[in-house]
Amino acid sequence: MDDVGFLFRVLEDLDARIEVDRSRVFITGHSNGGLMAHMVAAHAADRITAIAPVSSSIARPLYSGFKPSRPVPIMIVQDAGDPAVKWTGGEGGRFDWVSQPQAMERWREVNGCGPAISTRSDALDGTDDDAAVTHMVWPGCNEGVRMEAYIVEANTHRPPSALLDKENMRRWKEVVWEFFMSTDDGIKRGEGLKE
């Protein structure tokens, strides 16, 4: 099936009904939806602004020829102990995934970034569903794109309920939204928009 083509046909259908700003097309998804985000970036990087795969990685068949046509801003949100999409890769759900370090290194190469800088935040006391989080930032990427990852230590395949940004008390949706709005002058154009 041509999933990428289908996704853009849906976008064209929406554009015929409402005005769509084609310079602000963001792709996020959980698990198989995260795989779709990687796939769209690999096959149609010129048609999207940024991606944020959650609890996902790059499927091995896609990885072997993974060459997006341009650097792509990306935020990865992953649980280090995810039982379905394992950190070390392998079979998971319906796919054979590459490891998270392989996926991140491939994206670092595509985006021309420097080595990652990592900071770790422990779980907050008195917060039942919180977990430790490592925030990774790759500096110096080509074309000024941002590349970041939040690695949660909650050992689940669900979208993380932990606070990713503990200093500002923000969860994954808020962190991803801020990331999207910071790309391509999105902060100014996204003022007042809600999730």
Side-chain angles (χ1 to χ4, degrees):
M1 287 185 280
D2 180 9
D3 290 333
V4 174
F6 173 76
L7 186 66
F8 284 102
R9 283 192 294 280
V10 169
L11 184 61
E12 288 162 11
D13 183 63
L14 281 172
D15 199 20
R17 300 164 192 258
I18 60 173
E19 187 175 341
V20 173
D21 183 349
R22 296 294 184 101
S23 70
R24 297 177 69 225
V25 176
F26 306 106
I27 309 287
T28 189
H30 171 261
S31 193
N32 290 343
L35 169 65
M36 183 68 174
H38 287 292
M39 187 178 298
V40 170
H43 296 296
D46 59 322
R47 299 180 73 182
I48 60 170
T49 308
I51 67 168
V54 179
S55 304
S56 187
S57 185
I58 302 172
R60 199 166 300 281
L62 179 64
Y63 179 81
S64 61
F66 192 77
K67 293 183 181 177
S69 62
R70 66 166 184 89
V72 176
I74 178 171
M75 175 178 283
I76 295 167
V77 179
Q78 180 65 33
D79 193 312
D82 189 324
V85 181
K86 295 181 175 65
W87 186 262
T88 55
E91 295 288 334
R94 297 178 294 181
F95 297 101
D96 182 9
W97 309 87
V98 300
S99 72
Q100 282 300 327
Q102 285 176 294
M104 290 187 283
E105 178 58 19
R106 182 56 57 91
W107 271 112
R108 188 192 72 76
E109 293 168 357
V110 165
N111 287 337
C113 305
I117 299 167
S118 299
T119 55
R120 187 175 188 277
S121 301
D122 292 325
L124 298 177
D125 290 337
T127 308
D128 291 340
D129 64 348
D130 202 30
V133 175
T134 298
H135 181 212
M136 302 172 73
V137 176
W138 286 262
C141 302
N142 292 338
E143 299 181 23
V145 303
R146 285 176 61 189
M147 180 172 169
E148 298 183 38
Y150 284 89
I151 311 304
V152 183
E153 299 174 24
N155 304 319
T156 180
H157 184 59
R158 294 186 309 272
S161 58
L163 292 162
L164 297 190
D165 176 2
K166 297 183 191 316
E167 184 177 340
N168 298 300
M169 304 298 282
R170 296 184 308 159
R171 299 191 188 274
W172 79 269
K173 291 178 184 178
E174 297 161 315
V175 170
V176 167
W177 181 248
E178 183 279 327
F179 177 77
F180 284 163
M181 290 298 95
S182 71
T183 59
D184 191 37
D185 198 26
I187 290 175
K188 274 194 260 180
R189 291 186 284 171
E191 285 177 357
L193 293 177
K194 302 293 181 193
E195 176 187 344

